[in-house]
Amino acid sequence: MLQARDVKTVADAKRIVEERGLSHVKVGLFDIDGVMRGKYMSKQKFFSALDDGFAFCDVVLGWDSKDQLYDNVSYTGWATGYPDAPVRILPNSCRDVVDEPKQLIFIAEFAGAAEQVCPRAALRKVIEKAKAMGYEAMAALEYEFFLFDETPDSIREKGYRNLKPITPDFFGYSIIRNSVHAELYQKILAMAELMDFPIEGLHTETGPGVLEAAITYDEAEAAGDKAALFKTFMKVLAQRNNMMATFMAKWSGDYPGQSGHIHLSLKNIADGSAVFFDDNNPHNMSATQHHFVAGQQRLMPELLAMFAPTVNSYSRLIPGFWAPTDATWGVENRTTALRVIPGNSKSQRVELRLGAADANPYLAIAAALGAGLYGIEHKLEPEPQVKGNAYEQIHAAELALPKTLWEAAQKLKQSTAAKLLLGEPFVEHFAATREWEEREFRRHISDWELQRYFEII
């Protein structure tokens, strides 16, 4: 019997469906915000789609995370009538589905004109650039997320207030917590193995009900798939167990935000050697790693919208809460935006600590990798590394990060480097979606404003 992770070709995909006697399979793709959209597809339709592709309404690229239609994008909209766009199924993305015995899910991605604004295609474009430069990019993501003893109904009944985390108080790296809740941890780890996004480490973080999962590293495109599926099915697993998982950047002003850290390294395609490792240099940093870090640092303000894509993201980027506020770098320094991790030829890497858990993983990896490649291509040198507490130091003005999503969207729109790396259609489309997100926020009145101004002003 063929196993899901052994499926590589169209023929393999058809064979495993036949062997399992499935009448339907799941097919899903990821929208601009990294939300998985899809459906059950009959075996006959699935086989046809494997051979010739299929069509999916392009509204998936034209609406926000609440299914509200963008009014400021040119790719799709009422003017075009929201037609179907061509989609291809990726046979090698085959996975078993947690809690659905024998069921399979396949990732799809947009083709044709829609490919220009497809998030997964944006990452592939950067990966192809890396290959053209002689590099294979490796990546891994870490996610912090909060778990609550709530349901989709209960959080709405409570108006998203006074929610109950699964555990109280601050207790990072707790053996007590992961032992008391051993069944939950085992379910998460088992799901990750079953669905081929294995977890290297899983532990409590600082805050009530918060966990951190480090997904095992892989080639960059596969790492994007693993991260996107983890976020999706972690929510599924939680809700099937009468809990809720959130990957919001910051759900409460009382607790640290949720990060989505990105670890990156490069291999030489020619011989498989580590590009970043050079034990003749301080911190084992090769000249190429210096250029890579410099590119990430230089372009970080321009690409911030891809790491911090929601209004809520900017509530996390404040001093003292383990999130960087400037485009800084340091060696083993967790107060900087970029943390160089010295190691051996297998472990030398750079961690981008700027990203939040709410980012679309395909776009976050694309931005982090693309910026590094830009640095290599232009032989950039980084600013002097930060030693000590980066929050307490004054940094160069050009290292300052945008303070709002609107400002970040304007930086992205104006970025020549972003257009070179990702294509002008993608940059224009994504920047417009972030402008929409900010405008949607401005249409609403917060509790803070009512409490502050209603009676007194």
Side-chain angles (χ1 to χ4, degrees):
M1 294 284 286
L2 192 65
Q3 299 301 308
R5 67 187 60 201
D6 296 325
V7 172
K8 305 298 180 187
T9 65
V10 167
D12 291 339
K14 291 179 179 180
R15 175 185 160 192
I16 194 171
V17 170
E18 293 283 15
E19 287 182 350
R20 295 195 180 190
L22 298 176
S23 64
H24 292 75
V25 298
K26 285 187 176 183
V27 175
L29 43 73
F30 291 92
D31 70 9
I32 295 296
D33 288 291
V35 178
M36 197 173 202
R37 312 279 187 164
K39 55 188 171 183
Y40 285 99
M41 185 180 283
S42 71
K43 180 177 78 172
Q44 293 76 17
K45 176 68 174 177
F46 178 67
F47 283 7
S48 172
L50 283 170
D51 290 331
D52 303 314
F54 71 103
F56 206 100
C57 181
D58 77 357
V59 74
V60 169
L61 297 169
W63 65 17
D64 65 15
S65 59
K66 294 289 285 185
D67 293 6
Q68 300 303 300
L69 302 171
Y70 301 129
D71 64 6
N72 61 338
V73 297
S74 59
Y75 165 71
T76 190
W78 290 121
T80 63
Y82 294 105
D84 283 347
V87 171
R88 69 175 70 90
I89 295 173
L90 307 171
N92 64 351
S93 68
C94 180
R95 258 76 170 187
D96 292 290
V97 182
V98 65
D99 289 343
E100 293 189 58
K102 294 188 177 182
Q103 186 55 262
L104 297 169
I105 189 168
F106 289 81
I107 297 173
E109 64 178 9
F110 283 101
E115 191 165 357
Q116 296 182 88
V117 295
C118 174
R120 194 176 187 280
L123 172 57
R124 191 174 61 255
K125 185 180 181 73
V126 176
I127 291 171
E128 288 169 355
K129 179 178 180 64
K131 289 179 179 177
M133 295 172 66
Y135 305 130
E136 179 182 21
M138 308 300 293
L141 283 91
E142 301 171 343
Y143 283 114
E144 295 168 355
F145 58 99
F146 278 80
L147 285 168
F148 298 88
D149 281 326
E150 303 287 352
T151 68
D153 290 328
S154 72
I155 60 172
R156 287 165 173 81
E157 290 167 0
K158 292 181 174 184
Y160 298 89
R161 299 181 186 87
N162 302 314
L163 305 180
K164 183 187 177 188
I166 63 167
T167 56
D169 214 346
F170 288 62
F171 201 173
Y173 298 101
S174 172
I175 291 297
I176 292 175
R177 295 278 192 255
N178 70 22
S179 299
V180 170
H181 293 271
E183 291 81 6
L184 170 62
Y185 280 73
Q186 291 300 328
K187 285 180 179 179
I188 295 171
L189 295 171
M191 172 185 69
E193 292 294 327
L194 175 74
M195 296 195 69
D196 193 22
F197 41 79
I199 293 173
E200 274 191 353
L202 179 65
H203 62 87
T204 61
E205 256 293 350
T206 298
V210 60
L211 276 64
E212 179 174 325
I215 303 170
T216 303
Y217 79 95
D218 205 333
E219 182 275 322
E221 187 175 61
D225 290 338
K226 291 175 189 293
L229 288 168
F230 170 74
K231 288 180 65 176
T232 301
F233 283 93
M234 187 61 242
K235 295 173 188 174
V236 170
L237 182 69
Q239 291 188 35
R240 287 185 60 82
N241 288 274
N242 295 312
M243 290 180 285
M244 292 287 291
T246 184
F247 289 81
M248 280 183 68
K250 196 171 178 70
W251 75 272
S252 169
D254 297 327
Y255 309 117
Q258 288 85 262
S259 67
H261 296 161
I262 305 165
H263 293 252
L264 286 170
S265 63
L266 298 176
K267 292 181 180 179
N268 280 306
I269 291 176
D271 59 10
S273 61
V275 173
F276 289 170
F277 178 75
D278 185 344
D279 57 5
N280 293 314
N281 289 344
H283 316 299
N284 297 335
M285 285 183 72
S286 68
T288 304
Q289 187 174 23
H290 273 277
H291 298 324
F292 191 90
V293 169
Q296 291 187 307
Q297 184 178 44
R298 178 80 60 86
L299 296 187
M300 198 178 296
E302 299 175 30
L303 302 179
L304 181 61
M306 297 174 69
F307 301 120
T310 71
V311 171
N312 182 249
S313 302
Y314 297 80
S315 298
R316 171 178 167 268
L317 300 178
I318 56 175
F321 273 93
W322 298 98
T325 53
D326 295 278
T328 52
W329 78 280
V331 176
E332 282 292 10
N333 190 334
R334 285 183 166 87
T335 69
T336 55
L338 295 163
R339 171 187 167 225
V340 170
I341 303 173
N344 56 34
S345 60
K346 295 181 179 179
S347 60
Q348 182 85 15
R349 62 194 188 277
V350 59
E351 176 191 26
L352 191 144
R353 297 181 54 79
L354 181 72
D358 59 356
N360 181 330
Y362 295 113
L363 299 185
I365 297 173
L369 174 60
L373 296 175
Y374 182 89
I376 295 173
E377 197 170 35
H378 293 84
K379 296 192 182 303
L380 301 181
E381 290 296 333
E383 297 292 324
Q385 69 156 304
V386 172
K387 298 180 180 179
N389 188 347
Y391 300 125
E392 295 180 344
Q393 300 177 34
I394 297 174
H395 308 291
E398 58 268 24
L399 302 182
L401 298 173
K403 304 302 181 188
T404 66
L405 181 58
W406 183 270
E407 185 185 345
Q410 304 318 300
K411 288 271 193 184
L412 182 63
K413 278 173 66 173
Q414 297 160 13
S415 174
T416 301
K419 293 172 185 176
L420 288 172
L421 290 166
L422 304 162
E424 191 165 347
F426 173 82
V427 171
E428 289 183 355
H429 186 76
F430 185 71
T433 70
R434 298 312 94 188
E435 290 177 338
W436 162 272
E437 192 77 11
E438 177 86 13
R439 284 198 289 115
E440 283 293 282
F441 170 68
R442 295 298 174 196
R443 291 177 56 223
H444 295 83
I445 307 303
S446 69
D447 289 349
W448 183 89
E449 291 170 276
L450 289 171
Q451 293 168 9
R452 191 172 185 87
Y453 305 130
F454 190 93
E455 177 185 4
I456 298 170
I457 295 299

